[in-house]
Amino acid sequence: MNLTPSLDAHKQVLLRALDPRDSKTLEARLPEIRSADLAEILERLIEDEDRLDSAVALLACLPVGRQASVFGHLPFEAQDAMASRIEDAWLSRILDKMGSDERADLFKVLGDDRKEALLRRMARREREALKRLASYEEGTAGALMTADYVAIPMGLTVSRAMMRVRQTAPDAETVYQLYVVDEHGRLAGTMSLRQLMVARPQAIIDELMIHDVISIGVDAEQEEVARVVARYDLLALPVTDTDERLVGIVTHDDAMDVVESEATEDIHKGMSIGQLEGGVSRVPLWSLYRKRVIWLVLLVFGNLFSGAGIAHFEDTIAAQVTLVFFLPLLIGSGGNAGAQAATLMVRGMATGDVGIKDWSKLLGRELLVAGSLGLTMALAVAPIGVIRGGEAVALVVAISMICIVLFGSLLGMCLPFVLDRLGWDPATASAPLVTTLIDASGVVIYFSIATLVLMGT
Amino acid sequence: MNLTPSLDAHKQVLLRALDPRDSKTLEARLPEIRSADLAEILERLIEDEDRLDSAVALLACLPVGRQASVFGHLPFEAQDAMASRIEDAWLSRILDKMGSDERADLFKVLGDDRKEALLRRMARREREALKRLASYEEGTAGALMTADYVAIPMGLTVSRAMMRVRQTAPDAETVYQLYVVDEHGRLAGTMSLRQLMVARPQAIIDELMIHDVISIGVDAEQEEVARVVARYDLLALPVTDTDERLVGIVTHDDAMDVVESEATEDIHKGMSIGQLEGGVSRVPLWSLYRKRVIWLVLLVFGNLFSGAGIAHFEDTIAAQVTLVFFLPLLIGSGGNAGAQAATLMVRGMATGDVGIKDWSKLLGRELLVAGSLGLTMALAVAPIGVIRGGEAVALVVAISMICIVLFGSLLGMCLPFVLDRLGWDPATASAPLVTTLIDASGVVIYFSIATLVLMGT
């Protein structure tokens, strides 16, 4: 992450104050720095400058509530590194002050021995809640949610509900949306604090609440969670288990982080890069290599088909070496148009703008657009064909351009739908895969047309 | 957008109830459908089925408050189409019930005559507020913000402030974060409703509020707005003018929409597709053509450099036609590796994970990773070289693979930084541009090595 100039200045002042310990400066400076920024300073200290000790010493200067907040903002690797230098009693105080979702996330980072030691220090109820939250699979609503919400039993009056809100306020992630549950813990309704504030104190909440609550199952994928939060402009989305019982909420800020990280994942997938755990500037080199090499090598073998196509037409090429001049241009153009078409579909499917049933309508549209694109590009390339090889070559190149762009675009457009149908991620239709497929087909299309026109006469 | 089965069912029932008018069914069904969903039904009616009249008739069945809410969820084209069938008096009632940001957005869609007619129906204060909000440039904090926030003058007691919140509650976008302003309207502090609720009623808010408020200038770009909201987990971000006066807030839901649409824009840019106004399934064909064709044609000319490279080495090719077999494979692999490197940088810069000063560190990392990638791919391709053309050809192909992958990756990695330095958008370093550049360089690298090894002996 990139330190803004002011953060860098903060960092320098803090480090100087740390050794020899200048408590006055530390006490004056630390409260001024927001937790997200302080977390970034610690992260830099650990990962760029290898100063884990300074990072732990800085953390120790904070009140424990802020320690928890800063810890929650750290990436997993930094959490892991710092936790290894923090003794059990201290770490369990930090855990105690963290939100239940961040606590579960930190817990997943720790080794089994450490987990056991920390669990022993917790009350039974907390221990079980933590174990449950930490058990949900990464990438689901369960792993994203927090158990710190305000639940109100049915039948309460507005004034009693308000009292409940005040009591829960210090611990809940949000007190602005209340969830009403029946005697079995099932989600029965919801009410905003705003509605509660303007309601008659003696009114019963059952009569005021919205019964038709938007909620999501605990196993739902996190993309789906984010999509629902965004679509209905929610402050928080309640999460229910298979028995319709309320088990947590996903807050707007966590949903927003999902949108951001899912977009990054999709962008990387679009270039056949596997999912990175962390930013590109910090992920280990070995992991970066692995995430990139798999498809690159697979595509080397894919590209052999282009080679085989060329080998098949070696006579035509030997007779007209000029044809090779246009080869990169033609297959490159087809690949570009095809990658565009694939990307438009994959992103459309990810945002919910395009569904599988729009397929035929989109095919018709792509046919028109790609036809026009091919024609335009054929017109652009034809004069060069005349100059380099005469009219016959120009004709071959122009016709090939139209065919390759049209074929490439349709292939790029259809592939995500086909993959989706086969139960694969449509994003597997990455630009490198699409261009490799089009390269091979383009070779065959181009030299077939050339053989027909030039060698046939 | 894709209608879920239940939405499609809703649509059918509503249409049947509309003609002949079955008010009972309409009254029973309409309140069950959420505004975002109803907007999608109207959108489909207008754009897919050309039933603008039915859409307007459905809108007319709603109470005016819900009309405003549904209108706010419609895309601009649909708003424009519907507004053209709604007379001034009705439209001004709808405008009156909309949030100030959505009102300004709708206003921008309308023609000048229409604007004048509607402005005349407004109170002077409202008219000026609307004109001001509509005047901010698209894509800035000003265009994104709403003027419906809760501002509290300094010096108020907690109980007076609470009263102010209750009064503003029906109109404000959020009442959960309050902004304290001084006598000149400058932002002096902030306080959450949660803090206010647990505070002593006689306390003065000046003593309780947070003085160091995170805010943003009215001209800030919307990406920056979204980044700040996400980083600090804000419910709303206050927006100030050049005199530090509070002029609006951007709420979390609007910031989330920005993250989503900016990601789509970046993904499209990554394939050299210009910014689309609307989803791929609905944008006009002509516009889709234009947004795709510009770079495709530019890159046709870029690809001529590959052709020129090939022409330069025609003697080598004629002597060893087998070399052409490996051409698509080598330049394709270089292009894929380079596009990966460029994409990693562009996305890293967009999320703030990578900054210009990380350049040298990242160059070193890329050198190591790309070197290993090139070596792996060379090992994969060498046996094929032996089979197709003997050991000398295998050597040429393997060395070329390493050089092209290394060169391509470094080019892809550096290009976004160079563009950024020149004041261009780093995302201009799209996969098609990078692969085209690498194609041309790859041709030269490959045939130079081939000439040296095969013809030199």
Side-chain angles (χ1 to χ4, degrees):
Chain A
M1 228 170 270
N2 214 18
L3 284 185
T4 58
S6 72
L7 275 193
D8 219 11
H10 276 312
K11 191 182 76 177
Q12 299 308 333
V13 172
L14 291 176
L15 280 181
R16 270 198 306 272
L18 211 54
D19 183 38
R21 197 178 173 91
D22 169 6
S23 302
K24 228 173 81 185
T25 307
L26 287 171
E27 271 165 32
R29 273 296 179 116
L30 283 170
E32 281 178 13
I33 311 174
R34 289 172 227 286
S35 298
D37 295 332
L38 203 48
E40 195 172 318
I41 291 175
L42 296 186
E43 192 193 335
R44 277 260 154 166
L45 281 176
I46 298 166
E47 291 176 6
D48 290 357
E49 304 178 22
D50 218 10
R51 299 185 63 166
L52 183 54
D53 290 329
S54 308
V56 175
L58 271 180
L59 190 75
C61 299
L62 300 171
V64 67
R66 277 214 75 199
Q67 290 179 8
S69 162
V70 170
F71 231 88
H73 278 99
L74 285 173
F76 294 146
E77 314 92 79
Q79 285 191 344
D80 190 24
M82 291 199 73
S84 68
R85 298 290 181 93
I86 295 179
E87 64 268 28
D88 288 347
W90 180 10
L91 192 57
S92 89
R93 279 200 304 278
I94 295 180
L95 276 172
D96 186 52
K97 291 280 182 186
M98 287 177 104
S100 66
D101 50 345
E102 293 178 339
R103 188 190 298 166
D105 288 339
L106 170 57
F107 210 68
K108 286 182 201 159
V109 170
L110 304 173
D112 284 340
D113 288 357
R114 200 73 204 270
K115 278 184 197 163
E116 275 309 312
L118 289 166
L119 280 173
R120 272 198 301 271
R121 289 170 176 272
M122 284 181 197
R124 186 163 152 260
R125 229 180 107 227
E126 278 203 311
R127 191 161 59 215
E128 274 163 17
L130 174 57
K131 274 188 180 166
R132 201 179 51 241
L133 265 186
S135 71
Y136 294 108
E137 203 185 328
E138 260 325 291
T140 63
L144 208 60
M145 72 188 184
T146 172
D148 307 324
Y149 52 88
V150 185
I152 308 264
M154 285 177 79
L156 247 53
T157 60
V158 165
S159 64
R160 292 285 302 272
M162 200 61 138
M163 217 181 298
R164 190 67 82 103
V165 172
R166 276 181 227 270
Q167 284 161 4
T168 335
D171 290 323
E173 291 264 323
T174 181
V175 297
Y176 303 135
Q177 196 69 38
L178 323 175
Y179 301 96
V180 184
V181 289
D182 68 12
E183 67 269 35
H184 305 292
R186 281 185 305 231
L187 184 59
T190 185
M191 215 175 152
S192 69
L193 180 58
R194 194 165 172 166
Q195 289 172 291
L196 201 66
M197 282 174 64
V198 296
R200 214 164 30 85
Q202 290 77 34
I204 304 292
I205 49 166
D206 306 24
E207 293 154 15
L208 299 167
M209 70 185 186
I210 295 168
H211 292 268
D212 180 22
V213 195
I214 303 174
S215 66
I216 204 157
V218 78
D219 294 322
E221 286 185 20
Q222 62 175 12
E223 296 95 305
E224 182 60 21
V225 172
R227 215 175 292 145
V228 172
V229 171
R231 180 177 177 95
Y232 299 107
D233 297 340
L234 302 177
L235 208 57
L237 174 63
V239 181
T240 54
D241 66 9
T242 42
D243 299 324
E244 300 289 306
R245 279 190 307 246
L246 181 63
V247 288
I249 60 169
V250 176
T251 50
H252 65 94
D253 49 324
D254 291 333
M256 191 158 174
D257 292 343
V258 169
V259 174
E260 178 99 16
S261 68
E262 288 288 334
T264 299
E265 200 186 315
D266 287 350
I267 287 174
H268 289 171
K269 259 193 198 152
M271 293 302 151
S272 299
I273 304 167
Q275 196 182 340
L276 298 177
E277 313 287 338
V280 62
S281 58
R282 280 167 289 132
V283 81
L285 286 179
W286 166 242
S287 154
L288 198 56
Y289 167 80
R290 265 189 315 136
K291 300 294 180 174
R292 288 174 65 180
V293 80
I294 301 171
W295 273 99
L296 287 180
V297 170
L298 282 178
L299 293 175
V300 164
F301 293 104
N303 266 310
L304 287 179
F305 289 102
S306 307
I310 289 171
H312 181 76
F313 290 101
E314 233 160 48
D315 294 342
T316 308
I317 297 169
Q320 275 276 14
V321 179
T322 309
L323 288 175
V324 184
F325 178 92
F326 295 97
L327 182 62
L329 195 163
L330 289 171
I331 63 179
S333 298
N336 289 343
Q340 285 186 340
T343 301
L344 286 168
M345 291 308 123
V346 171
R347 182 62 184 166
M349 289 163 95
T351 57
D353 175 48
V354 166
I356 197 117
K357 64 185 223 175
D358 299 319
W359 186 81
S360 56
K361 177 188 156 200
L362 286 163
L363 187 71
R365 286 170 61 95
E366 187 62 31
L367 212 60
L368 284 171
V369 172
S372 317
L373 291 173
L375 203 63
T376 314
M377 291 155 87
L379 290 174
V381 84
I384 307 155
V386 175
I387 296 166
R388 289 284 316 172
E391 283 176 20
V393 168
L395 186 69
V396 169
V397 170
I399 296 175
S400 301
M401 181 65 101
I402 296 175
C403 295
I404 293 173
V405 168
L406 201 56
F407 174 81
S409 299
L410 294 181
L411 180 80
M413 197 226 105
C414 296
L415 195 59
F417 288 99
V418 174
L419 291 170
D420 192 54
R421 253 290 153 79
L422 297 174
W424 289 41
D425 184 349
T428 314
S430 63
L433 176 62
V434 169
T435 50
T436 302
L437 291 174
I438 295 170
D439 278 1
S441 342
V443 165
V444 176
I445 293 174
Y446 176 39
F447 290 124
S448 299
I449 293 174
T451 309
L452 214 70
V453 175
L454 301 176
M455 313 296 276
T457 54
Chain B
M1 228 169 271
N2 214 19
L3 284 185
T4 59
S6 72
L7 276 192
D8 219 11
H10 276 312
K11 190 182 78 175
Q12 300 307 335
V13 171
L14 291 176
L15 280 180
R16 270 198 305 275
L18 211 55
D19 183 37
R21 197 179 173 91
D22 168 6
S23 303
K24 228 174 79 186
T25 308
L26 287 171
E27 271 164 34
R29 272 298 178 114
L30 283 171
E32 282 177 11
I33 311 174
R34 290 172 226 285
S35 297
D37 295 333
L38 202 49
E40 195 172 319
I41 291 176
L42 296 186
E43 193 192 335
R44 277 260 154 165
L45 281 176
I46 298 167
E47 290 176 6
D48 290 357
E49 303 178 22
D50 218 10
R51 300 186 64 166
L52 183 54
D53 289 330
S54 308
V56 175
L58 271 180
L59 191 75
C61 299
L62 300 170
V64 67
R66 277 215 72 198
Q67 290 179 10
S69 161
V70 170
F71 231 88
H73 278 99
L74 285 173
F76 293 148
E77 315 91 80
Q79 285 190 342
D80 190 23
M82 292 200 74
S84 69
R85 298 290 179 93
I86 296 179
E87 64 268 26
D88 289 347
W90 180 10
L91 192 57
S92 88
R93 277 200 305 277
I94 295 179
L95 276 173
D96 187 52
K97 291 281 181 186
M98 286 176 103
S100 66
D101 50 344
E102 292 178 340
R103 188 191 298 166
D105 288 340
L106 170 56
F107 210 69
K108 286 181 201 160
V109 171
L110 303 173
D112 284 341
D113 288 358
R114 200 73 203 272
K115 278 183 197 163
E116 275 308 312
L118 290 166
L119 281 173
R120 273 198 300 273
R121 289 171 176 270
M122 284 181 196
R124 188 164 151 260
R125 228 181 106 228
E126 278 203 310
R127 191 161 61 214
E128 276 163 16
L130 174 58
K131 274 186 178 167
R132 201 179 52 243
L133 265 187
S135 71
Y136 294 108
E137 205 185 325
E138 261 325 292
T140 63
L144 208 59
M145 72 189 185
T146 173
D148 307 323
Y149 52 88
V150 185
I152 308 265
M154 284 177 78
L156 248 53
T157 59
V158 165
S159 65
R160 293 282 303 270
M162 201 60 140
M163 217 182 296
R164 191 66 83 101
V165 172
R166 276 180 225 271
Q167 283 160 4
T168 334
D171 290 323
E173 291 261 325
T174 180
V175 297
Y176 303 135
Q177 196 69 36
L178 323 176
Y179 301 97
V180 184
V181 290
D182 69 11
E183 67 270 34
H184 305 293
R186 284 185 303 231
L187 183 59
T190 185
M191 216 176 148
S192 68
L193 181 57
R194 193 164 172 167
Q195 290 171 288
L196 201 67
M197 281 175 62
V198 295
R200 213 164 32 85
Q202 290 77 33
I204 305 292
I205 47 166
D206 306 25
E207 295 155 13
L208 300 167
M209 70 186 186
I210 296 168
H211 293 267
D212 180 22
V213 195
I214 303 173
S215 66
I216 204 158
V218 77
D219 294 322
E221 285 183 22
Q222 62 176 13
E223 294 95 307
E224 182 60 21
V225 173
R227 214 176 291 146
V228 172
V229 171
R231 180 176 177 95
Y232 300 107
D233 297 340
L234 301 177
L235 208 57
L237 174 64
V239 181
T240 55
D241 66 10
T242 42
D243 300 323
E244 299 288 309
R245 278 191 308 247
L246 181 63
V247 288
I249 61 169
V250 177
T251 49
H252 65 93
D253 48 326
D254 291 333
M256 190 158 176
D257 292 342
V258 170
V259 174
E260 178 99 17
S261 68
E262 289 288 334
T264 299
E265 200 187 316
D266 288 350
I267 287 175
H268 289 171
K269 259 193 198 151
M271 293 303 151
S272 299
I273 304 167
Q275 197 184 340
L276 298 177
E277 313 286 339
V280 62
S281 58
R282 279 167 290 132
V283 81
L285 287 180
W286 166 241
S287 154
L288 198 56
Y289 166 81
R290 265 189 314 136
K291 300 293 181 178
R292 289 175 63 180
V293 80
I294 301 171
W295 273 99
L296 286 180
V297 169
L298 281 178
L299 293 176
V300 164
F301 293 104
N303 267 311
L304 286 179
F305 289 102
S306 307
I310 289 171
H312 181 77
F313 290 100
E314 232 160 49
D315 295 342
T316 309
I317 297 169
Q320 275 276 14
V321 179
T322 307
L323 289 175
V324 184
F325 179 92
F326 295 97
L327 182 63
L329 195 163
L330 289 171
I331 63 180
S333 299
N336 289 342
Q340 286 186 340
T343 301
L344 286 169
M345 291 307 123
V346 171
R347 181 61 183 167
M349 289 163 96
T351 56
D353 174 48
V354 166
I356 196 117
K357 64 183 220 176
D358 300 319
W359 186 81
S360 56
K361 177 188 156 201
L362 287 163
L363 187 70
R365 286 170 61 94
E366 185 63 31
L367 213 59
L368 284 171
V369 173
S372 317
L373 292 174
L375 204 64
T376 313
M377 292 156 86
L379 290 174
V381 83
I384 308 155
V386 176
I387 295 167
R388 289 285 315 171
E391 282 175 21
V393 169
L395 186 69
V396 169
V397 170
I399 297 175
S400 301
M401 182 64 102
I402 297 175
C403 294
I404 294 173
V405 168
L406 201 56
F407 174 82
S409 299
L410 295 180
L411 180 81
M413 197 228 105
C414 295
L415 196 58
F417 288 98
V418 174
L419 291 169
D420 191 56
R421 253 289 154 79
L422 297 174
W424 288 41
D425 184 349
T428 314
S430 63
L433 176 61
V434 169
T435 50
T436 302
L437 291 175
I438 294 170
D439 279 0
S441 340
V443 164
V444 175
I445 293 173
Y446 176 38
F447 289 125
S448 298
I449 292 173
T451 309
L452 215 70
V453 175
L454 301 178
M455 313 295 276
T457 53

